[in-house]
Amino acid sequence: MIEVPAEARRRMARRHGDDVEAWLDGVPALVARLARRWRVTPDGAVLSGNSGLVVPADRGVLKLTPDVMIAATEAAALQYWAPCRHVVNLLDHDDGALLLGRVRPGTALPSETGALDVVPALRDLMTAEGPLPDLPPLGARIAFWLGRVREQVVDEALDDRIPLGRLDDAAHRAAALGAERGHHGVVHGDLHPANLLAGPDGAVVIDPRPHLGDRTFDLVDLVLLDPDALDGTVEGLARELDGVDPDRLHAWCHALAPANAVAALRTAPDAPHTAALVRLAQRSG
């Protein structure tokens, strides 16, 4: 029988509150039931993300969350992207549970990977077509995320590097961009390097927090991997990806640079990349 590690319990409690303990206690039985139903055999240690647990299995990966809406929206997005070669496959789903295809080799991308190195995966997301699933608007994602960033700046006294006034101005610009149609479609919502794995034919997209809105939003974190090369990366992506407006992508990058700088200051305050993000955030406006 599987066990939920103590660190996974701590991460889940931070995300979902202490009430998640009862759900965590029931995870071994839940995994056993799903394994019988979907005819899989767990074969790896339980891993924890920010909102759920991952259990590797012989012919897939079980992804579990106490928030059934998170699983439902992810399933809806993955069904929409089903024709895409560079998006993880959804094999089955249930309330609060997904059975995903194994990505092989499934390793992290090289640290030097940039936005232009994962164009096939980006093209899949940018050009996917079909009836749109019922998902929340991108504006909801922006408001939630930037609200948390503001709290972090206040709680951790980071306003000497990213002043609250600049952060609030950037949040207003991001909200305005999110309210516009732009390159409309299903937005991944959390497309950073950790949510791209090495697959047999290039990068594979995993772990969406999907919304409906301007798909240009999804390019920002990857462009900002190298803030000093922003102009060249934007121009390159606009050449490679149909429907991407370089002026609009520039606007998104400048609007979200302060929030990205805050994240970098919290995790790697002395890194050269962090310094470049802070410089960009300080001149964005």
Side-chain angles (χ1 to χ4, degrees), residues 142-177 224 251-266 277-278 280-285:
I142 293 169
F144 173 77
W145 173 39
L146 296 186
R148 288 186 63 189
V149 170
R150 194 182 200 284
E151 291 173 359
Q152 291 162 353
V153 170
V154 172
D155 293 344
E156 299 174 32
L158 297 174
D159 55 325
D160 60 328
R161 305 292 301 277
I162 306 295
L164 284 176
R166 185 168 294 276
L167 187 65
D168 290 342
D169 177 66
H172 288 308
R173 287 185 281 121
L177 286 165
L224 294 182
W252 271 116
C253 288
H254 285 282
L256 297 177
N260 278 263
V262 170
L265 285 167
R266 298 180 70 235
L277 271 176
V278 170
L280 176 62
Q282 290 173 343
R283 67 175 186 265
S284 294

Side-chain angles (χ1 to χ4, degrees), residues 80 126 128 132 180-187 212-215:
Y80 177 77
M126 295 292 117
L132 294 175
E180 297 170 1
R181 186 173 179 83
H183 186 39
H184 192 72
V186 176
V187 179
L212 293 182
D214 182 5
R215 287 179 279 189

Side-chain angles (χ1 to χ4, degrees), residues 16 51-52 86 99 106 113 127 130 141 143 151 167 215 221 233 244 262 264 267-270 274 277 284:
H16 297 284
S51 58
H86 295 278
L99 177 62
T113 299
T127 61
R141 173 71 175 167
E151 291 173 359
L167 187 65
R215 287 179 279 189
D221 281 2
T233 305
V244 172
V262 170
T267 57
D270 300 321
T274 300
L277 271 176
S284 294

Side-chain angles (χ1 to χ4, degrees), residues 31 42 64 70 84 109 146 158 175 181 203 217 228:
V31 169
L64 314 172
I70 288 178
C84 299
L109 298 180
L146 296 186
L158 297 174
R181 186 173 179 83
F217 174 91
D228 293 332

Side-chain angles (χ1 to χ4, degrees), residues 112-148:
E112 66 272 15
T113 299
L116 292 170
D117 298 316
V118 294
V119 162
L122 299 178
R123 186 175 290 118
D124 272 358
L125 298 183
M126 295 292 117
T127 61
E129 297 180 341
L132 294 175
D134 183 15
L135 294 169
L138 178 58
R141 173 71 175 167
I142 293 169
F144 173 77
W145 173 39
L146 296 186
R148 288 186 63 189

Side-chain angles (χ1 to χ4, degrees), residues 35-47:
R36 289 192 300 270
R37 174 181 168 184
W38 289 335
R39 298 182 180 179
V40 299
T41 301
D43 63 2
V46 177
L47 306 173

